[in-house]
Structures are given as structure tokens and as C-alpha cells.
Amino acid sequence: MLPSARTRSLPDPRVPLLVPLRASVLVALTALLTACGQPADEGASSKSSSSNNSNSSNGPPAPVMANLPNVLDRDVTEHVKTALQSSPTLKGFDIQVQTLQGDVRLTGVLDSQEQVVEALRIARASEGAHSIHDELTLKTP
């Protein structure tokens, strides 16, 4: 062999496939990232902004739960207790009110079914009460 002659190794057959693949993934990722902040259709964007002026942000719509009042459980309990004691038909009865994440539990003993119905109506009308658990019982004769 001549001293200047070198032996050449064959190229790895996977290399030509990996380079274009990496480049195409990079191009696709770049396109996705640059398009994230832009509306998909300019006509749809102008229609939605003109028909819904109350939502001025370009972010995703707020979840439905965000429309509910943010009331602490202790506040809900106080609202319900105050309303129950303000009712002439329920005044003087010992009705316990417990609230956990807006779920109100009423426990106690009442004289009539009408009083139970009134207590449930008052609890449902209280701000921040999501659901009412009725554990009220009637006094036995």
C-alpha cells in the first residue's frame, strides 16, 4: 500500500436517515411553538372578539367553577345558622350546621315535616351552599 492512500470505512447506513429526521422534528417543533400564540383563523378570531366583548384576554375560557362565589365554609355555616335562627318556625331549635367545600349537612330534631322543608329551603338559598345533606329527624310522640 501507498503511504498516502487511506482506507475508507463505509458510512453508517442509519446516519443519512437520522439527520433529516432530526431536522424535520426540529422544524415541526419550531412551527408549533411559534403558532401557539396566534389564532388559527383570522375570521373566527375577529368574530369571537366582536361577539364576546366581556372576555378581553386571549387565554382559554375560564372554567365553569370560576363563576361560583368563592365563599369559605365557615362563612357558609354562619349564613345558614343565622338564616335558620331568623325563621319564626325554626327559632329555638338546635339545628347543627356543618359545611365542607360548600356541602352543607343539617342535623337536629324538629317537630314537623314542614319545619324540615323550611330548614332545607333556607339552607339551599344560602350563599356558597352547593349541596344540602338532610340528616334532620322528627321528634317522636
Side-chain angles (χ1 to χ4, degrees):
M1 249 208 245
L2 297 170
S4 63
R6 294 186 182 170
T7 58
R8 296 177 75 192
S9 62
L10 295 173
D12 187 359
R14 294 175 294 174
V15 172
L17 293 176
L18 289 178
V19 172
L21 179 64
R22 286 182 185 159
S24 63
V25 169
L26 183 61
V27 169
L29 186 59
T30 304
L32 281 174
L33 290 175
T34 56
C36 282
Q38 300 173 359
D41 180 18
E42 287 298 320
S45 172
S46 64
K47 286 179 190 174
S48 68
S49 66
S50 65
S51 65
N52 188 6
N53 292 331
S54 63
N55 186 7
S56 60
S57 69
N58 290 335
V64 175
M65 292 297 291
N67 295 333
L68 296 175
N70 188 15
V71 182
L72 297 174
D73 287 342
R74 68 173 180 252
D75 294 335
V76 174
T77 300
E78 275 306 308
H79 288 271
V80 174
K81 282 183 178 181
T82 303
L84 289 172
Q85 290 303 313
S86 299
S87 170
T89 56
L90 299 172
K91 194 171 200 144
F93 285 96
D94 185 27
I95 300 174
Q96 291 83 39
V97 180
Q98 299 169 331
T99 308
L100 180 63
Q101 296 179 346
D103 296 333
V104 178
R105 182 175 313 278
L106 300 177
T107 55
V109 179
L110 300 175
D111 289 337
S112 68
Q113 184 62 35
E114 291 78 20
Q115 291 171 330
V116 172
V117 170
E118 177 71 4
L120 294 174
R121 183 192 64 75
I122 289 171
R124 284 188 191 102
S126 296
E127 181 184 1
H130 299 263
S131 64
I132 309 300
H133 300 280
D134 176 15
E135 293 185 6
L136 297 168
T137 58
L138 295 176
K139 189 183 294 184
T140 55

